Amino acid sequence: MNRNALLPGVTGIALLLLVAVPVSFVILQAVFPHLDTGVYSAPFRAFTRVFAEPQLRELFSTTIKVGLGVALCSGLIGIPLGALRGLFALPGAALWDVLFLVPFLLPPYIAALSWMLALQTHGYVQQLVPWLHLNDFLFSVTGMVIVMTLNVFPVVYFAVSRSMAASGSRLADVARIHGAGPWRAFSRVTLPMALPAMASSLLLAFTLSIEEYGVPGALGSRSGVMLLTTGIEARLADWPIDLPGAAVLSLMLVAIALCAYSVQRAVVAGKNVESMTGKPADITQKRLKGWTIPVLALFTLVTLIAVALPILSMMATAFSGTLSGGLSLSNLTLRHFGALFAAHGDALSALSTSLSLALGTALIAGATGLLASWLVVVRKIRGSALIDGLSLLPAALPGIVVGVGLILAWNRSFWPVTPYNTWAILLLAYCCLLLPYPVRYVSAALKQIGGNLDAAARVHGATAAQTLRLILLPLVFPSLLASMMMVFAVASRELVTSLLLSPAGVQTVSVYVWRQFEQGSVGDGMAMASVAVLLSLTLMLAAVRLQRKPLA
Amino acid sequence: MTAMTLSLAMAAGSAQALTLYTAGPGSLAKKLAAGYEKQTGVKVDVFQATTGKVMARLDAEQANPRADVLISASWDTATDLEKRGWLLEYQSPNAEPVPAQFKTPYYVAQGISALGIVWNTKSGTTEPKDWGDLAKPEFKDKVTTPDPSLSGASLDLLIGLQNAHAQQAWKLFEDLKANGMIIAGPNAQALTPVLQGAKAAVFGAVDYVSYASVQDGESVKVIFPSSGTAIAPRPMMILKSSQQQKEAKAFIDYALSPEGQKLVADAWLMPARTDIDAKRPLFKSLKLLPEASQASASRKDVLERFAKLFGQQ
């Protein structure tokens, strides 16, 4: 392989291995139901079988309903708060940003279990406020939507606030100078400018919620609500297994996600809302004046519900001797944290496994993401559309589908060596799922760099690889690092594919917590979860600090 | 870089360890593994999950089997695997003191659990004495039950009740459903709401999980119903596909040794050997459901009927 083909070659192989292989096997298994025994008979039989099942319609419609519900509710919370944060000088703005990051870092299934312990009959909330009955509300489709919303709405909040802060007020001021009233300036200038950010973040909320397994997995069995993800998990992980059925449902889920993505692209594509010229602009935020108190009260309320309640419920369980003992000082204990250090070093090995896997994922996804975006944005090589597509496709792939694909692909006797049943399969899964983060961040950074830097270096005789290493890498490094930190945080708590793929003898933090819950040691599980959440919050803040930019 | 990582992983994965798939208490599996490793120097990799998940994994890997030893929570699964011809015939010398009903040439009980009602003593309800009490108005919307498709022991209870009472058993399930009983995931997920007091009782809880909770100070009580209950012996078996049959046999021997059985008893299970003490009622003292009069109901039929009744399908 000559020098010029080396980097594209490596990138291409990495993308094939990480993305194309698992996806192709899901498609193959869906089409050929007997693929697992090596027979290519009865093509599409699984489709007809699954489509004929009476519960499919409900599975499908509930999934869409939940997705739309979460998008709608995330909008109702995220857009007003984001607008207030973006347009006005909010006291303690950075603090609110950090607080709203927490639900995003809290693994969804732990959030769901915390909500359950807080809101069910005799839960923590009722122990404090006996007349408040929220049990039936929690165990319903609406309850599921609200719990998911409280996990997901920060995506909308951050997108809207950043977009409004960057473009909104300056142009709205121009409108005001030309005689528009404050409401008119907002509705005719600020709002339309932020529309693409709203649309894309709402659609992101939609896809995040239809891909989610933790919340329906935790709340669903009690409320009798099944979604596509729980349906896939049940077919795959409960005896007797149904691989072709799981593959067909997986493809349906991917199809919904891809539809959402194409709607998003269509909404965003037609609009040019570029307001940044590259010249430094002074962003002035308006003062809230008399509205300060009500606005702060609103932010406090949302923080109390979305952040404080689940975290307190988690901590209360971690520090409680017994669940039946309820909230009381005599029930206070450190026993569960002690248990983490006993138990044959199990908890500690789970922590170190998760951290090393997360580090490995950050390095591999970072390197692959950097190369892929460089080849697409800067080098514009042949086949860059394919590279771009493959590197962003996992954003539309639910974790469970990647898990299915990796089992189908690697658990075969024809491979001379296979990563299946070693920790490497988890690394493959995480890298696939999280690849879009570095690709998005680095591409955006590369697009801001003028082409003449690259050209100048090439004129002076630098090879492509040298230009990348010496010129472009230092320039995009802050973005790359931030995205790698994000990858690290998410990988260190990933649950769904870990549950499916963890080999015997290997436990990650999330699997450890899940198994503790499964065995009735809720307190031990919550103690581990508290440690993990604290750790990922610390890392996230470190990432933000290293990037020396406001939270984005 | 990826290739390098993969080859490293390969090297790590091929170490000569014994692979144990087990349903039931993970801490027990860990202790057995540690004791066995100390004795033989062979490391044991444990995969622990619910019976449904353990069996699913076994199924998914049939093209390329990984497990050497399997411990299930349902006797039925072992019978099924034996029929498929997947099991290695082995009788451990340590199985001598295990009663005949808990061993076959292919598998032997590691320990035995029983199913009962677990009742929250602070729930403000009167203590239930029999299964039928949970269908009374007092327990309206206050009962959970483990999902029999996930929990092997729970399925054994359904089969036991149907074998003993035939149609009467299904009448009971219908009454429970009408009284608002909900299916709540595997064993512990059915127990957790009862611990916190959201629900008052579990119908058909595995006793050892509950005894462990009682030991931790939870205010719950394990009640064995007056009309009889089912016991769930937990079969241990060696897969025929195992590359390490010698080590696997040694593991079974260890689990059935007095030391191994002591660990089983410490996990609040009844030891399979009759010569080991336990800190809980043993099966001799329990009233068991009568044996099936005709051929035992098939697990698949019972599961499907139950799932249909509770609207899961």
Side-chain angles (χ1 to χ4, degrees), chain A residues 14 17-18 36 55 116-118 120-124 127 135 217-218 221-222 226 233 236-241 243 321-325 335 344 346 363-364 367 407 410-413 417-424 427-428 499-507 514-515 517-520 522, chain B residues 1-2 5-6 8-10 12-13 19-21 24-27 30-31 34 45-53 55-57 59-64 66 77 80 84 120 122 149-150 182-189 192-193 195-199 209 213 216-219 299 303 312-313:
Chain A
L17 202 66
L18 292 180
D36 47 327
Q55 70 268 36
M116 203 151 102
L117 290 163
Q120 68 183 357
T121 314
H122 290 282
Y124 298 127
Q127 287 172 30
N135 184 73
S221 61
R222 288 267 297 275
M226 279 269 256
E233 205 263 357
L236 208 62
D238 297 338
W239 195 44
I241 54 167
L243 284 174
T322 61
L323 274 182
S324 52
R335 166 165 79 89
H344 299 276
D346 236 25
L363 291 174
I364 296 175
I407 295 179
W410 294 108
N411 186 32
R412 311 251 153 204
S413 39
V417 285
T418 165
Y420 185 71
N421 228 30
T422 70
W423 53 265
L427 197 64
L428 280 180
L499 269 181
L500 288 177
L501 297 173
S502 287
V506 176
Q507 278 197 46
W514 189 260
R515 296 271 181 258
F517 290 146
E518 253 182 13
Q519 293 177 55
V522 183
Chain B
M1 173 141 66
T2 316
T5 324
L6 286 185
L8 272 175
M10 253 19 88
T19 304
L20 168 67
Y21 282 15
S27 52
K30 285 279 170 198
K31 282 179 194 151
D45 285 331
V46 180
F47 172 75
Q48 182 273 325
T50 58
T51 303
K53 299 235 182 308
M55 294 301 290
R57 193 167 180 118
D59 229 3
E61 292 173 346
Q62 57 176 300
N64 200 6
R66 309 282 173 167
T77 53
D80 186 84
R84 290 197 216 172
N120 185 328
K122 294 201 288 194
S149 69
L150 300 173
I182 53 154
I183 299 184
N187 278 297
Q189 278 191 38
T192 311
L195 294 180
Q196 212 187 20
K199 302 279 171 179
V209 179
S213 301
D216 286 344
E218 300 285 2
S219 58
R299 60 180 300 285
L303 262 187
Q312 288 185 311
Q313 262 179 28

Side-chain angles (χ1 to χ4, degrees), chain A residues 183-258:
Chain A
W183 178 247
R184 196 174 154 87
F186 177 77
S187 64
R188 301 297 289 274
V189 178
T190 312
L191 204 59
M193 294 288 287
L195 217 53
M198 280 180 210
S200 59
S201 63
L202 287 179
L203 279 150
L204 189 58
F206 175 83
T207 30
L208 282 175
S209 65
I210 62 163
E211 293 172 8
E212 178 48 49
Y213 168 76
V215 177
L219 295 180
S221 61
R222 288 267 297 275
S223 47
V225 179
M226 279 269 256
L227 301 186
L228 277 171
T229 43
T230 42
I232 295 169
E233 205 263 357
R235 276 163 203 267
L236 208 62
D238 297 338
W239 195 44
I241 54 167
D242 175 11
L243 284 174
V248 170
L249 289 187
S250 300
L251 288 187
M252 285 178 67
L253 196 50
V254 174
I256 301 176
L258 285 177

Side-chain angles (χ1 to χ4, degrees), chain A residues 12 19 65 77 83 85 89 109 174 177 186 196 209 217 251 260 277-278 296 306 344 348 384 396 411 418 442 482 536:
Chain A
V19 185
K65 224 188 286 173
I77 304 176
R85 163 73 178 87
Y109 67 100
V174 176
I177 289 165
F186 177 77
S209 65
L251 288 187
T277 53
L296 283 182
H344 299 276
L348 292 182
S384 63
N411 186 32
T418 165
V442 175
S536 48

Side-chain angles (χ1 to χ4, degrees), chain B residues 62-119:
Chain B
Q62 57 176 300
N64 200 6
R66 309 282 173 167
D68 298 304
V69 179
L70 168 69
I71 305 175
S72 166
S74 169
W75 201 250
D76 241 45
T77 53
T79 317
D80 186 84
L81 292 181
E82 188 197 331
K83 271 192 210 132
R84 290 197 216 172
W86 286 21
L87 301 184
L88 183 76
E89 194 172 339
Y90 177 62
Q91 279 226 295
S92 167
N94 288 346
E96 191 61 39
V98 176
Q101 65 189 113
F102 299 132
K103 58 187 176 190
T104 79
Y106 289 91
Y107 43 95
V108 57
Q110 169 211 36
I112 300 140
S113 65
L115 291 134
I117 295 169
V118 173
W119 172 65

Side-chain angles (χ1 to χ4, degrees), chain B residues 173-214:
Chain B
F173 302 151
E174 280 160 24
D175 291 348
L176 287 166
K177 160 80 181 164
N179 206 30
M181 178 173 88
I182 53 154
I183 299 184
N187 278 297
Q189 278 191 38
L191 180 63
T192 311
V194 174
L195 294 180
Q196 212 187 20
K199 302 279 171 179
V202 189
F203 172 91
V206 187
D207 55 356
Y208 68 86
V209 179
S210 318
Y211 280 123
S213 301
V214 174

